[in-house]
Structure formats: structure tokens, C-alpha cells
Amino acid sequence: FRLAVAPTASYPRFGAEAQVAVVTRVDGAVVALDRPLRDSHAGSAARRVQAEVLNLRRSVLVTGDPDAGGRGGLHVVAHSGAVARVEHARVEHCGQLGRPGKYCLHFHLARACPECVFRGNAIEKSSQRGIVVHGTHRSTVEGNVLYDVMGSGIYIEDGNEMENLIKDNAVLCPVKDGCRQPGTDNPNADDVFQSGLWALSVSNDFIGNRLVNHENGFFTQTSAFPHGRGQAFLRVCTVHAPLGRFEGNVCHSNARFGFYMDNNYPRKLQRSVESDGLLEEDDFRRFTDGNPGTFSSCDAFRPDGTDNGATGVVADALEIGNSFSGQYALGDVQFLRYHAINNLHGLYWKETKAHADPNLHAHVKDSVFEWIGPDEDFDVWSILGSPGGGVVHIAGPGGLGAFIVEGTAFRGMVNDAVAANQHCGLSGTGALCTPEYQLVDVDFSALKPPSRRIKFGISSGNEVLPLFSSFDASLGGHAAVASRHQTHLLGLPGRPCVADAGPEFDGGIACSVPLRRLQVWSAPQPGGALLLPPGGGEPWAMEHVGPPPDNPRKQGYGAAVAPGRLYVVELDRDEGITVEFSDAVYGERFGAPDSLTLELRFRSQPGKTRTCVVSSQHSRAFITADRGPLRGGLGACTAAGDGDDGPVPPTPPPAAECTAEGRDPYETGREVGCCPGSGSACLADWAGDGRWHYLCLQARDCPSAAGPSPSPPPPSSPPPSPPPPPPPSPPPPPPPPPSPPPSPPPPPPAAECTAEGRDPYETGREVGCCPGSGSACLADWAGDGRWHYLCLQARDCPSASSPPPPPPPPPPPSVANLLRNGDFSSGDLAPWKLLVREGASAQAAVSGQQQADVAVADGGSALWWIKLRQRGVPVEAGSSYAVSVRLKASAPRRVRLKVSVGWSTVLGEQLCDVAEAFTTCSVALEGVAQSGTGMLNLLMGKFAGTLTLDSAVWAQVYRPEAAAVRAAAGQQPKCWGEQFRPKAWRHMSNVSSQVRVLAATSNRPAARTWLQNEAVCATTASNVNVIIATSSSTTASTTSSISTTSTIIENVRFESASPPSSTWRQPRPGGAARDWPRLATWAIQGAIQGAMQGAMQ
């Protein structure tokens, strides 16, 4: 009998051929052939690289005329309800090229036919396809071998076929890519994308088939005929048909793709075998009517917004030596126990989505991707003819959302193990290119250097937006790695991210905290989208990904962000935007939901600014990966009146029930216990901003009272909620002070007790109140939302029986140190930036030390400014401010002091003449009309010289909300009651004996001193909050520079009356005044007085 032996040849062996021989003798396990085989063939069971041997002989022969040519072969058909059963026959010289319906073996419109069987047959020398299943359901095509078949070997025709069993068939092309057949009624299947197995319907069971040496091995080309063919035309949605069983199929040595799923988003279609696999006409009409208000079972979402996806699994696939394997767009499908060996691209994937099935999360699970090189197995490597290494193991998708790779190993030499954003951003490919690659128990240990573990962007895909994250050691101990382009991450408070994680991580930014995607679906906006990160980092221009030609909805902006923090996104307008953050899988699969506080600002619509707490669990209803948002008002942080419920605060726990895990049990203003299974109340500084509060968490997630604070889990939403009553056991360390912290008063002696007026937890553990010093009393003593304990007498402690006064809304910080540590590179809110507005000949640079270099070429016409960018100073509508700078220049010149909210709304400006002596330039802002980020600009024009900035002052002198809050709480007025009047500043010059020094430290030549006075009201000048930066006025000798060395005075409040000489009388929080010991003498009052006189007059 005759055998056909398949080649085992990988890229680039495109001419690989099968070989046919006749068996002359069988002696046990030895088979003698009539000729030697020309090529070596792999047969390693251990490596799973083995050649197929096809028996082409059968005892029953059905043959056509070998001299009839391509159009004269025989055909076998079971037509229109007829039952056919052909088993163990040889069918040869069959098929009639160009004549539809004339194939070697053919089920034709048999509808449901479980009796229809093609089993164990050998098909050879066909001019038009091999086995065709057309309009038939529940048939069996099993154990057949097909050799030298032109066009598709096995062909599933119209797209309505269901529940057929296609099992254990082998289809072998004699010459790699040599079975193309032009001239059929489907050139996609037979010529352009010739395939061993071509299926327009995926709703069948494909098990254990082997497809070898074709253009494509196994191609489900549903997007070629998305509405079906033949009698199924306009009655099916092939791209959305649910998958049958895909198990144990093998594709190897194919010229292009092995397994190739094309574009498939399976959904729960309303059809069945009884309906002939067809949709109801009205169902299909609703799918194609373009009306989002009508529902079809082909749609991505059901009318209530639930995901209509139907989960499928591709299990135990083996892919060897193909150029590609995978698909373009695929959702709701998992690759389970997938094994790729010397595939040039192990798994190719451009677009996906989160699984609709809540019990299925990973996209690739328990799989192996390997490249066998000469060092691993020389014989197998040389027989395959592979190059020394592959291109990539996973060329992964560009969204939408989390792409999870779990329990998977990557081995051998490749450029990249996991590369994100395959082609993403090119002509609309991908889903905004901001995927979160979540790696779970991934093993990179057998990768050979210099292989990269991860890569940002592949095949010209977007390299800015993807991110990689892990809860385990999959990323070498990093919690997340983002692209090197996302530089805003380097300025996060606490510096959890560092640049250049090394070549194995593609030089990315490695972080010790999780990162998640933030996406804004939107057309390009004037001025773009700016991300203003926490900590006053540099505004980052969010990357925009453009749309495909046919779908303007599928475009928008993206960024990687760190959960648990405040971010600001500044856009031009509110229309046509949809916001997405993170992915629901982090709560559903990992039990670690994320949240962040998001402020949306709109340059042309400042009244639409809104702030929301956004959770990873927010609704994704009607947001699709392939089409984008299907209408307005979707996603997170939506605008009220736009078809949704408006900005969404965190949902409080049920009125009298319990608090869910990850929520604050005191967020309602009273204690609501943690739900069963939600852990217990755990206290920490979750956001790293000094505001400690409780969350319901499991013990494993709660930082130890004895250990350091953990990486923050999702914080509860601002404004800060009142903390709980004293815990029964010692709490964790109290909140650290804001950066830079004042040195606290000396703690009480470790032994023994806490004096009256001191915090019993200030040492990091509980030290009880001394006898006669009262008991621990909890309140927001400073009115800044930072609650803590003091030892006080009962008369001085707010009543525990009455609820605490509602905390004020978070005030804009009255401290905004515009010159920190005497250099321009840092500050409470942002670095100073020296930038070029116009003039290509101008250059600027800001160093980390005490100068910012200015260089303007001769003849240049540049406009320069020193600008406080990033978050700037928060400005509150209705409040009044005074902004003042004190400066001098090496030569007389004019500068413009300009103060604005955001980038465009000017609050005030002043032209000032500056000469060799210090002069003060100031702007008064009375009752500003708009909240936002305050920006201070010094516009200097064309200037190359030395400018010395001596002080920068931003003072809030009136805040109406503060007065109302204090009055509602029954507290003493704090003198916010008058609008700003310039003459009030003149009272500020006499301050030498009216301040209390809380601490003084010196970590630079210039001392830093923190001052505070909570004095009673006496004049309109009392209790003015002011930020001062004073300088020794040392001028750098370098020309073309701006320099400063500063003594920083912050957080100052003034009292008009002089205090006693030895003590200072201050109202105690919530009670009568008491005498406080003077803690220090005033060491630099002359410097302060001079600065105040110059800056404030």
C-alpha cells in the first residue's frame, strides 16, 4: 500500500515537500519502502515534533477518469435531505473545477442529519476541494486522510452549519503552499488564503485534526462573509457565532498561518439546528439596521447592558513551524494548554475583550511557547530548518482592557516573549492600544538571552500605551512595568517608579505599585488631552489613537495610571467622551478592585468640571472593543444630563447592614461594620497623603502595626471621612505629616504616659494619657481633615454623643511653596519650567539645582516665561488671593506677572519694571469666578541675562466656605469674613513677635522653618494664609541664568496682638484658650520681616 509522509519544516523552508512511497514489507515495527525518503523527518514524541504518515490505500476504490482534466473529475453528493454514509473508501480523480457543488464528498443541504457519515476515507488528486459540509447539521466527518487536494481540503460552506463533528482528519498538501486553486466560487478559501480546513461556521466540533504544508492550516474566515453565503445569506452573523469544541488540533509546516481564527466575537445567538442554523429575519434585520435602540442576538450587549458574549475554548492546540498562528480580533475565547514550537510568531492577536463568562478570565492559560534551537535539540532544529531564534512568542492585542496570561512558560531564543499592541493604532487596529497585560504565574526562566520578557509595541504598533502588571513574581518582582514614554509615572509621590528597568523589560518604567489603564474615547480635541498626575508632576500629553476609516467612534486617548491617587485630565470639551478605568476582572478574579479620584476639566467649558471616584468595577455596558462606545453617557465619571446618572460617588454600604471589602466602614459618618467575609477595619495611610482612614480588608492585606506601611490599596473616596472611635488594640502608626513634614514636638518619654495636649500615638504606639491629663480625645483639630487624638480633659473634648461636625470640603491647599529648597526643580506642587513659546533659535533647560539656563541666539525673537505648570495652586471660586513675586535683573527690563486658572483663563496680570535692586510685582485677585488649577507665569520676553527671584508668594485671604463651615459647627469665627483689600497687607510688616515657631531644621545652608498661629481674630489681617519664599539674594555668576537660594517659610498665620513674653495664648481645639510654652525663639525674624514688607506692601 501507498504512504504519504509529511514534511516537518518550519520557516523559511517554503519548498518543503511530502514524499510518497510504497510499502514492500512490514517486520514488526519496521516498515520497508520501495525507495529511500529524500528528506529527514522529525519523529520526537518527547519534543512533540512528529511527521504524519498517511495510508492512501483502501480496499474500496471510487475513481474518476485521470485523463478528464480538472473539470472532468467525479463527484459524490448527498443532496437536499438525502442520507449518505461513505466509510473506508478511496476516492480519487474527483472534483470539477469551477462547477459549484461538484466535490469529492459532499453533504448538500441535508439539514439535521446525524446519520450522515464520511469516515476513514482516503481522498487524493482532487481539482476542487475534498470534503464539503453545506447546509448540514450533526453530521460526522472523521478519520479521513486527504492528499493532493487542490483548494480547501475540508470546507464548511455557508455559515449556518451547526453541531457537525470534524474529527481526526489529516489534510496534507504535497508541496508547501502548492495547493492553491484559482477558478472556484470562493477564491478566499481555495486560492488567496488556501487552507487545509476552511470553515465559515465555527459552531461545530473540530477535534484532533492535522493540517500540514498549506498556505494556512485551519482558517475560520468568518469576516470574509459576515452575513453568510448561499441560502444562509442575510440570515446569519458568522463573526458572532458561538464556538463548538476546538480540541487537540495540530497545524505544522504551513507557509503562513497554522491555526487562524480571523475575526470572531462569539455571542449568544437565537438560532438552533431546528431553525436550520438561521436567525429569524427580524433578528437579523435589527442587527443590520444601524439603530442602537433595537436589539439583535448578534449584538454585543443585551438590552439591559449585560455582555452578550458566548465563551469558547481552544484547547490542546499544537502549532509547529508555521510563520504565524492566531487571529486578528478575537473575544470571549481562551487558549488552554496551547503549545507553540518554533512558530516564527507563536500566537498572533490584535484585538480582544474581557470574557463575558464570570468564571473564565485568562486569555492564555497553562500553555507553553518554545523555540527549539541547536543547543536544545540539534536534530529537531536542523530537520525543521528553523533560524536561530523566533520573532515573538505572543504578539499580543491592543486591548480592550486586561489581557491575562496565566500559568504559561516561555522558552528558548526569541526577540520577545510577550509583545503588546500588535499593529495597534494602524488604521484603527486594536482598541485604543491601552491594554493591561496581567501576568499570573508566568515562567520566563528558560528564555535565552538576549530575549526580552516583554516589549512595548510590535509590527509598528503603538509603543507608548501598553502596560504589564503582576501580583506575583512574573515580572521579576516588579508590580508593573510601563513604557519608557510614560514619564509622568516617575514623579509619583514616594517615587514608586524608576526609569529603565533593563533590556529584558524593553527599557520600561518599573513600578512597585500596580498600574492600570485610563482611557478617554474621544475624537482629537483642540489642545489634546493633558494628564496632570498626582504629586505635581509634569503634565503629560495623553496619547491619541485614531479611528478606522469606517468608524469615528473608535478613537481616543490613553495613559497608564497608578490606582489610589488623584489624577486630573484636562480636555477642551465635554461632548463625545467616554471614560474607562482599569478592568472589572481585578475585582472579580483577583479580589483587588482598583479605584482612583479623577477630575475632568474642560478648557472651553469650565463649568462642566467634575470630580469622581472611579472604580475598576464601573459599568462597561455598550462599550465594545471592535466598535467603541455605542452611544453617549457611557463608562465612568459621566456628566449629569447626558443620559446617565452623573458623577458617581462611591456607593455607601446599605443603610444598616455592613461594609463591603475595600470600603471605609465610617464613610457614612457612623460605623457600619465590615460584611462577613470582608475582613475587618484596617487603618493606614492608603493614599500616601497623610490622611489615615480605615478600610475593610482581609488580614493578609492589612499592614502590620509593627511594620512599614504597605503599598496603598484602593483608597476610599474623598473627602476624608471621620475616623472611628479608639480601637481596642494599639493602632498602626499615626498619619505622617504632609511632605515636607515639620519636625514634631519632642515625644513624651517612652515609659510612661502622654501629657495633656499631646497625641498618645505620636510615637507609633499607644502611650496612655498621664494621670490628670484627661483621656484620648479624637477630632479634626486643625480643620484640615486629618483626625487624630489628643489627651484632653472631658470638658475640652467634643461630645462623643453628638456626631462630629461635617468636615469641610477639601480646601485648596493654602500652602503652595513655589520655591522649594532653593531651586527651581521642585516645590509642593510642581517644578518650575523654563519654556520657549516662540522662536526656533531659543533653547531652555531646567537643572535640578539652583538655576534654569536661558539662551537666545542673536536675532532671536523668543518669548520666554518661568511657569509653574502641573497641578499648580488649587484655586477656589469665590475666594480671594494675592500673588506676589520679588525679583531683580542684571539690567533694567520689563516683565509681566500673569496669573491664570488652567491654561487659558486669566485671573489677573501686571507689568512691572525690574532693575538692579529688588522690586515687588503683585496681583490682587478678588472673588475669583472659577475653580481650577492656578498658574503663575513670569513672561520675560527676549532676555539673556541674570534674573534673581527672591520670593514667590501665593496667599489665600478670603474663603467664604470656611466661615460657613465653622459657624455650622458652632466654632469661633476665623476672620474669613472680609473680602481682600490691598491695605490689609500693610499690617503684615509688624510680625516679629506674633508668630509661634513649631520647629526649625536645616538640611541646606538656608534654613527651613515652619510657622503656624491659630490666634483669635483681632483685625482684618488676622489668620491670613500665606506662602513665602525668601532668599539671601545670592546671584549666580553665570550669565543667561535665573537663580535663587532660598529660606522657606510656609503655612504662616498671623495675629495682630502681641502674645505674652514667655507663653503664647491660643484657643484650644473645641474649647477655651490655654497657655502654650514658647517652643523656640525667633532666629530669623529680620529676614521674615524684610521679606514680608517687600512682598506684601
Side-chain angles (χ1 to χ4, degrees):
F1 50 91
R2 295 172 66 246
L3 301 180
V5 183
T8 46
S10 72
Y11 172 92
R13 287 181 55 193
F14 289 113
E17 296 183 12
Q19 293 175 258
V20 175
V22 176
V23 175
T24 60
R25 184 182 76 255
V26 177
D27 184 7
V30 177
V31 177
L33 304 178
D34 68 340
R35 71 198 73 179
L37 297 180
R38 182 177 60 254
D39 301 318
S40 297
H41 297 74
S44 174
R47 287 291 185 183
R48 299 192 72 193
V49 182
Q50 298 166 285
E52 292 78 5
V53 179
L54 279 58
N55 179 8
L56 301 177
R57 181 178 181 274
R58 299 293 186 272
S59 57
V60 175
L61 175 63
V62 181
T63 183
D65 183 353
D67 299 322
R71 298 182 185 275
L74 69 87
H75 71 98
V76 177
V77 60
H79 203 292
S80 301
V83 174
R85 190 178 190 96
V86 180
E87 298 184 80
H88 307 296
R90 173 178 168 82
V91 182
E92 64 180 19
H93 303 300
C94 49
Q96 298 178 11
L97 179 59
R99 295 182 178 179
K102 309 302 183 181
Y103 315 118
C104 299
L105 294 176
H106 180 196
F107 294 132
H108 180 79
L109 303 181
R111 298 180 67 95
C113 188
E115 302 86 1
C116 292
V117 176
F118 295 144
R119 178 182 287 121
N121 302 291
I123 300 175
E124 187 177 359
K125 297 187 184 303
S126 169
S127 61
Q128 181 171 261
R129 304 176 190 152
I131 297 174
V132 176
V133 178
H134 179 198
T136 299
H137 319 288
R138 295 177 179 158
S139 71
T140 298
V141 177
E142 181 179 7
N144 303 283
V145 296
L146 294 86
Y147 179 73
D148 197 7
V149 171
M150 301 302 291
S152 295
I154 299 174
Y155 182 83
I156 313 298
E157 187 160 348
D158 276 356
N160 65 316
E161 296 81 10
M162 295 180 67
E163 300 180 19
N164 296 287
L165 176 63
I166 316 297
K167 181 180 181 183
D168 293 338
N169 303 283
V171 187
L172 171 61
C173 183
V175 179
K176 181 179 286 191
D177 197 18
C179 291
R180 296 173 184 261
Q181 183 67 300
T184 72
D185 65 345
N186 185 353
N188 282 289
D190 301 317
D191 182 14
V192 180
F193 302 106
Q194 184 275 325
S195 305
L197 196 166
W198 189 93
L200 189 55
S201 172
V202 297
S203 301
N204 300 283
D205 296 338
F206 301 93
I207 302 171
N209 301 287
R210 305 180 76 93
L211 300 314
V212 184
N213 224 34
H214 301 275
E215 164 75 357
N216 299 291
F218 181 1
F219 192 9
T220 61
Q221 197 183 6
T222 54
S223 65
F225 306 96
H227 300 157
R229 286 169 50 90
Q231 295 193 23
F233 184 55
L234 301 183
R235 293 290 299 278
V236 293
C237 48
T238 58
V239 171
H240 305 305
L243 270 63
R245 293 171 61 194
F246 283 66
E247 299 174 4
N249 298 295
V250 179
C251 298
H252 74 82
S253 307
N254 295 288
R256 192 165 178 260
F257 274 82
F259 179 60
Y260 189 8
M261 282 212 78
D262 188 37
N263 294 272
N264 289 273
Y265 284 98
R267 292 169 187 166
K268 299 170 184 174
L269 305 186
Q270 294 176 2
R271 64 170 189 162
S272 65
V273 169
E274 288 67 30
S275 71
D276 197 21
L278 303 175
L279 301 167
E280 294 292 333
E281 291 184 6
D282 191 53
D283 191 5
F284 183 83
R285 179 189 57 77
R286 292 193 300 269
F287 176 55
T288 57
D289 64 5
N291 181 359
T294 60
F295 170 72
S296 164
S297 65
C298 298
D299 287 341
F301 292 91
R302 302 189 66 78
D304 63 357
T306 55
D307 196 325
N308 194 37
T311 295
V313 176
V314 175
D316 301 304
L318 177 60
E319 301 286 309
I320 308 169
N322 308 296
S323 293
F324 305 91
S325 294
Q327 54 279 321
Y328 277 45
L330 183 68
D332 288 300
V333 175
Q334 179 187 81
F335 284 82
L336 178 66
R337 297 184 299 275
Y338 179 88
H339 194 173
I341 301 172
N342 287 47
N343 260 25
L344 202 62
H345 302 74
L347 185 60
Y348 184 98
W349 202 333
K350 293 188 179 183
E351 181 176 287
T352 191
K353 63 180 286 288
H355 291 290
D357 185 344
N359 299 311
L360 196 73
H361 301 99
H363 295 80
V364 180
K365 185 175 181 181
D366 298 341
S367 298
V368 176
F369 294 81
E370 63 179 316
W371 189 272
I372 298 173
D375 295 337
E376 288 76 29
D377 193 316
F378 182 84
D379 289 341
V380 170
W381 173 75
S382 60
I383 290 171
L384 287 172
S386 303
V391 174
V392 62
H393 281 324
I394 295 181
L400 183 67
F403 180 74
I404 300 174
V405 180
E406 180 176 355
T408 294
F410 298 91
R411 303 170 183 166
M413 175 75 75
V414 290
N415 292 342
D416 307 291
V418 183
N421 278 359
Q422 166 70 21
H423 280 175
C424 195
L426 304 180
S427 299
T429 303
L432 295 201
C433 306
T434 314
E436 303 150 318
Y437 277 61
Q438 187 68 33
L439 306 186
V440 182
D441 295 328
V442 170
D443 181 6
F444 294 107
S445 62
L447 275 181
K448 295 188 66 174
S451 304
R452 286 181 289 255
R453 296 190 187 192
I454 62 174
K455 179 173 174 56
F456 300 94
I458 184 171
S459 301
S460 301
N462 183 285
E463 65 178 29
V464 175
L465 292 173
L467 61 94
F468 295 82
S469 186
S470 179
F471 291 108
D472 53 44
S474 297
L475 286 171
H478 303 304
V481 183
S483 163
R484 64 184 179 275
H485 299 284
Q486 304 236 21
T487 53
H488 60 93
L489 296 168
L490 299 175
L492 288 174
R495 299 297 189 267
C497 300
V498 296
D500 194 1
E504 64 178 331
F505 298 106
D506 197 20
I509 294 172
C511 299
S512 60
V513 297
L515 299 177
R516 300 290 182 258
R517 66 177 172 125
L518 179 63
Q519 293 185 186
V520 182
W521 298 85
S522 169
Q525 297 216 6
L530 293 176
L531 180 76
L532 281 64
E538 169 116 8
W540 191 74
M542 296 177 71
E543 183 86 347
H544 188 268
V545 177
D550 62 340
N551 181 19
R553 292 190 300 266
K554 189 180 175 183
Q555 58 178 317
Y557 297 93
V561 296
R565 291 164 171 79
L566 168 66
Y567 280 87
V568 178
V569 172
E570 184 177 291
L571 299 157
D572 188 66
R573 301 188 65 81
D574 192 19
E575 290 81 12
I577 70 168
T578 298
V579 175
E580 278 196 88
F581 165 66
S582 187
D583 199 286
V585 73
Y586 288 104
E588 295 167 355
R589 159 67 173 84
F590 300 104
D594 306 305
S595 67
L596 58 72
T597 302
L598 177 64
E599 180 181 344
L600 294 176
R601 300 177 184 168
F602 304 98
R603 293 180 286 270
S604 297
Q605 300 169 310
K608 292 197 173 186
T609 295
R610 56 184 178 270
T611 301
C612 313
V613 175
V614 182
S615 168
S616 57
Q617 311 311 111
H618 76 78
S619 172
R620 319 286 164 154
F622 305 110
I623 303 174
T624 67
D626 56 333
R627 304 299 296 172
L630 301 181
R631 60 179 186 233
L634 302 175
C637 205
T638 55
D642 192 22
D644 56 85
D645 297 326
V648 183
T651 306
E657 283 63 344
C658 60
T659 300
E661 186 170 357
R663 305 302 295 266
D664 184 347
Y666 297 92
E667 64 188 0
T668 62
R670 61 185 182 83
E671 181 179 10
V672 178
C674 299
C675 296
S678 297
S680 57
C682 178
L683 180 66
D685 177 9
W686 300 113
D689 61 357
R691 298 176 183 249
W692 289 54
H693 59 278
Y694 285 83
L695 293 178
C696 287
L697 290 176
Q698 305 296 329
R700 65 178 181 273
D701 300 324
C702 185
S704 166
S709 298
S711 297
S716 61
S717 105
S721 56
S729 59
S739 173
S743 299
E752 308 347 3
C753 61
T754 301
E756 187 171 355
R758 304 296 294 268
D759 184 347
Y761 296 98
E762 64 189 0
T763 63
R765 61 184 182 85
E766 182 180 12
V767 178
C769 299
C770 297
S773 296
S775 57
C777 179
L778 179 67
D780 177 9
W781 300 114
D784 61 359
R786 301 176 185 232
W787 291 58
H788 60 279
Y789 292 89
L790 292 178
C791 288
L792 291 176
Q793 305 297 328
R795 66 179 180 274
D796 299 328
C797 185
S799 171
S801 61
S802 59
S814 59
V815 293
N817 182 7
L818 308 188
L819 289 174
R820 159 87 58 205
N821 295 338
D823 69 51
F824 292 94
S825 66
S826 60
D828 276 359
L829 301 174
W832 289 81
K833 293 298 178 184
L834 186 64
L835 300 175
V836 181
R837 177 79 175 195
E838 297 171 356
S841 61
Q843 297 179 354
V846 178
S847 73
Q849 299 304 316
Q850 298 172 358
Q851 69 178 25
D853 298 324
V854 184
V856 182
D858 292 341
S861 58
L863 174 66
W864 293 87
W865 68 86
I866 301 174
K867 187 170 185 178
L868 181 65
R869 298 184 64 180
Q870 318 292 70
R871 294 177 60 194
V873 180
V875 173
E876 187 177 23
S879 294
S880 296
Y881 301 86
V883 181
S884 176
V885 294
R886 188 166 182 262
L887 68 171
K888 68 179 181 179
S890 56
R893 60 166 296 95
R894 175 166 288 187
V895 300
R896 182 186 299 271
L897 172 63
K898 185 175 181 180
V899 182
S900 63
V901 168
W903 305 97
S904 57
T905 304
V906 177
L907 300 179
E909 56 185 323
Q910 181 68 45
L911 280 173
C912 300
D913 292 315
V914 181
E916 291 87 346
F918 278 112
T919 187
T920 297
C921 188
S922 59
V923 176
L925 314 175
E926 184 170 350
V928 300
Q930 176 183 332
S931 298
T933 298
M935 301 290 180
L936 183 150
N937 307 269
L938 280 177
L939 306 180
M940 296 180 290
K942 179 183 176 183
F943 175 66
T946 302
L947 186 76
T948 302
L949 184 63
D950 180 65
S951 64
V953 178
W954 191 299
Q956 181 186 41
V957 295
Y958 174 60
R959 182 169 182 251
E961 289 81 355
V965 169
R966 297 187 68 85
Q971 298 177 3
Q972 184 176 1
K974 298 296 290 185
C975 299
W976 300 101
E978 286 197 45
Q979 290 281 357
F980 167 74
R981 293 183 298 171
K983 68 178 183 179
W985 291 101
R986 298 190 180 97
H987 297 289
M988 293 296 97
S989 60
N990 182 23
V991 298
S992 60
S993 62
Q994 300 178 31
V995 293
R996 168 182 173 228
V997 180
L998 291 182
T1001 61
S1002 178
N1003 57 3
R1004 292 178 60 90
R1008 179 189 308 157
T1009 306
W1010 285 64
L1011 309 169
Q1012 185 176 20
N1013 177 11
E1014 289 281 0
V1016 297
C1017 300
T1019 72
T1020 59
S1022 299
N1023 301 294
V1024 175
N1025 294 334
V1026 43
I1027 307 89
I1028 313 165
T1030 64
S1031 172
S1032 60
S1033 304
T1034 301
T1035 302
S1037 59
T1038 305
T1039 61
S1040 303
S1041 67
I1042 303 168
S1043 63
T1044 178
T1045 55
S1046 297
T1047 299
I1048 312 301
I1049 317 297
E1050 305 175 87
N1051 217 16
V1052 186
R1053 298 187 182 186
F1054 297 95
E1055 174 189 24
S1056 61
S1058 298
S1061 59
S1062 60
T1063 60
W1064 181 64
R1065 195 165 183 80
Q1066 177 189 5
R1068 184 183 307 176
R1074 58 163 292 176
D1075 289 339
W1076 295 78
R1078 184 179 298 278
L1079 300 177
T1081 59
W1082 185 242
I1084 52 172
Q1085 70 177 44
I1088 285 194
Q1089 185 168 346
M1092 292 295 292
Q1093 288 174 330
M1096 300 304 185
Q1097 289 183 353

